[in-house]
Amino acid sequence: MKLYIILGLLTCVSLAHSHQETLVLVDNLNIKETHSQFFKSLQERGYSLTFKLADDANLVLSKYGEYLYKNLIIFSPTVVEFGGQIDTEAITKFIDDGGNLLVAGNSAASDVYREIATECGFEMDEESASVIDHFNFDSLDDGDHTRIVVSPKNLINAPTIVGAQNTKPLLFEGTGLILDKENTLVLPLLTADSTAYSYNPKSQVKEYPHAVGRKTVLIASLQARNNARIVFSGSLFFFSDEAFNAPVTKVHGDKIKSDKSGNKDLATNLSEWAFGERGQIRVRRVYHHRQGDKESSDTYTITDTVVYRIEIEELKNGKWQSFEANDVQLEFVCIDPFIRTTLLKKPNGVYEAIFKVPDVWGVYQFKVDYDRIGYTRLYHSTQVSVRPLQHTQYERFIPSAYPYYVSAFSMMGGVFLFSIVFLYYKEDTPKSKIVCSDVFTSVICPVTKSVVVDNMDPSRRQRTQTKATAEEQALDQIAREVSITIWVDNYA
């Protein structure tokens, strides 16, 4: 049992040690002395530095498919060709596999440097070109105005990369860079002033300079999509002991003075970021459930209220601690985002969102995609299913349909009342009489005949009246004949 514990500890130590292994390629071993403070700061932070000449024939980055180094520093601007198995393609593959790179050059940089810069999204100026500024140069300049003084205001606003407190002026002596506009991953960390330009100081300016004004980038960086980091400086002098300890005295303008330059602080911050000591974040735990429940579920019903929580950590001083931010967002996606909301920060690095599931069923994903300058990209997705309501879950009466309910019942009541009126209502119709002719009233008893017309249509009533008139005419004719017969018998 103890043997297994010892082996486990040795494995952890070896893994941690391998993560700190750093290969340093130099032109000559004197750079170990001229840049000793920078290398010492790395060693004090636990990095194991391996110094080798850039043209060493035994150079290798990996063996048996495993990389020997996690970080690579190239301080060899004059090398014409790398030795051993290292070339531009090998360095590019090293970055693609997650390795970190720190490169520093100068005006004498070879074409190998330009090839590496091009692969990383930068473009170096022509050979022998230096950044010149006739208005912002140091008092110790040799007369070419190439030892320029750069204000800390020219740094990018990214405390994670360059640090939070940069108040001292910076010294720079080297060549300028131009960034690829189409590469959105490249960042200009330090730019020159508007009066600077990049050209050969020993030649007369006959053509428009390659880099002019604030487009002249002095130090640039790139964080690849696999979170590999690259810092590219146009000045090897920037990391030297001379630049770290030199006083700064600006000749023209506001005549900035400082007992010490800010190069050391900035170089330390850049190396910490480049080698993954800063800006590393990760997801520790994710859980989601219906509001009111405690157990997580992979299936939800439309219109459910869901609680989503994610716990994020940040690497600080070698320890994982709670990450603090107020711009972490969650997307609930089914092809397109149906819900996008900002997560509320809770204690201990927990971020929470409470929302109602859309009224559209399908397969959804909880997505957190956090990509900010200086931090590693944080991406996490969880897939869940959203189903429609069961037939027993629908409402019996929908409030929005109440007007239709009222109109339907009012129509039924109206039909019922109309039926009663139609069936039981009866109109009173006046009676019509047939009167005997006045000529025969004294002889014959009146003949009366009542014709009652009830509920007859107009055509039938007309026929009835015509028939009654014909009967009256026939009775009148009979009465005349009877009266004539009686009169003849009396006078005969």
Side-chain angles (χ1 to χ4, degrees), residues 426-491:
K426 181 179 180 181
E427 293 183 355
D428 293 334
T429 304
K431 298 180 180 180
S432 60
K433 297 180 180 180
I434 300 176
V435 183
C436 296
S437 178
D438 293 340
V439 181
F440 308 103
T441 302
S442 59
V443 180
I444 304 173
C445 294
V447 178
T448 61
K449 184 177 182 180
S450 298
V451 179
V452 180
V453 180
D454 293 331
N455 297 329
M456 293 186 179
D457 57 331
S459 59
R460 184 176 179 185
R461 185 181 296 110
Q462 181 66 30
R463 291 195 302 272
T464 303
Q465 291 176 354
T466 303
K467 184 176 180 181
T469 304
E471 290 179 352
E472 290 176 356
Q473 293 177 355
L475 291 174
D476 290 341
Q477 182 64 28
I478 293 172
R480 289 191 188 97
E481 292 178 356
V482 171
S483 60
I484 292 172
T485 302
I486 294 173
W487 184 80
V488 172
D489 291 340
N490 292 333
Y491 287 95

Side-chain angles (χ1 to χ4, degrees), residues 70-95:
K70 177 62 178 177
N71 308 307
L72 175 62
I73 299 176
I74 303 178
F75 280 3
S76 54
T78 60
V79 66
V80 177
E81 185 177 354
F82 292 110
Q85 300 179 9
I86 296 181
D87 54 10
T88 304
E89 184 178 353
I91 294 174
T92 304
K93 188 176 184 304
F94 174 74
I95 297 171

Side-chain angles (χ1 to χ4, degrees), residues 185 240 326 362:
L185 303 177
S240 66
N326 55 6

Side-chain angles (χ1 to χ4, degrees), residues 9-255:
L9 292 174
L10 291 175
T11 303
C12 294
V13 170
S14 62
L15 289 174
H17 183 69
S18 65
H19 287 176
Q20 303 297 325
E21 285 290 338
T22 303
L23 175 63
V24 183
L25 301 180
V26 296
D27 284 334
N28 54 75
L29 297 179
N30 287 336
I31 293 181
K32 292 176 61 176
E33 305 300 330
T34 58
H35 295 68
S36 61
Q37 294 185 31
F38 175 71
F39 294 131
K40 184 179 179 180
S41 68
L42 293 177
Q43 291 173 340
E44 289 176 350
R45 301 203 307 267
Y47 291 94
S48 176
L49 304 181
T50 302
F51 291 90
K52 290 189 177 182
L53 295 176
D55 55 358
D56 189 343
N58 298 320
L59 288 178
V60 290
L61 285 175
S62 62
K63 279 186 178 180
Y64 310 112
E66 297 291 335
Y67 283 100
L68 303 177
Y69 309 98
K70 177 62 178 177
N71 308 307
L72 175 62
I73 299 176
I74 303 178
F75 280 3
S76 54
T78 60
V79 66
V80 177
E81 185 177 354
F82 292 110
Q85 300 179 9
I86 296 181
D87 54 10
T88 304
E89 184 178 353
I91 294 174
T92 304
K93 188 176 184 304
F94 174 74
I95 297 171
D96 291 339
D97 292 336
N100 302 315
L101 177 66
L102 174 61
V103 183
N106 54 26
S107 58
S110 62
D111 291 338
V112 176
Y113 259 62
R114 290 176 175 80
E115 292 176 2
I116 297 174
T118 302
E119 291 293 333
C120 298
F122 318 121
E123 182 180 353
M124 293 186 68
D125 203 348
E126 298 178 356
E127 189 175 356
S128 301
S130 299
V131 178
I132 304 171
D133 194 336
H134 300 296
F135 295 89
N136 300 286
F137 61 91
D138 188 59
S139 60
L140 299 178
D141 183 77
D142 57 2
D144 293 330
H145 300 169
T146 55
R147 181 166 172 161
I148 64 175
V149 178
V150 185
S151 171
K153 296 180 180 179
N154 293 2
L155 288 169
I156 189 174
N157 185 19
T160 307
I161 303 176
V162 299
Q165 297 179 351
N166 294 288
T167 58
K168 296 181 181 180
L170 306 169
L171 290 176
F172 184 91
E173 185 176 359
T175 189
L177 306 172
I178 293 180
L179 306 186
D180 184 1
K181 295 181 179 180
E182 297 181 357
N183 192 336
T184 58
L185 303 177
V186 177
L187 297 174
L189 300 184
L190 180 64
T191 59
D193 289 294
S194 58
T195 55
Y197 64 95
S198 181
Y199 208 79
N200 189 344
K202 304 298 182 182
S203 303
Q204 186 178 0
V205 179
K206 296 182 179 180
E207 298 178 354
Y208 193 79
H210 188 65
V212 178
R214 294 194 177 277
K215 292 184 179 180
T216 306
V217 179
L218 307 180
I219 302 176
S221 70
L222 177 142
Q223 179 170 276
R225 291 185 173 87
N226 63 350
N227 292 326
R229 291 173 175 177
I230 304 166
V231 174
F232 204 104
S233 173
S235 172
L236 180 60
F237 168 79
F238 186 89
F239 297 90
S240 66
D241 296 347
E242 180 184 356
F244 284 2
N245 300 324
V248 180
T249 304
K250 184 178 175 183
V251 176
H252 293 293
D254 48 7
K255 295 185 179 181

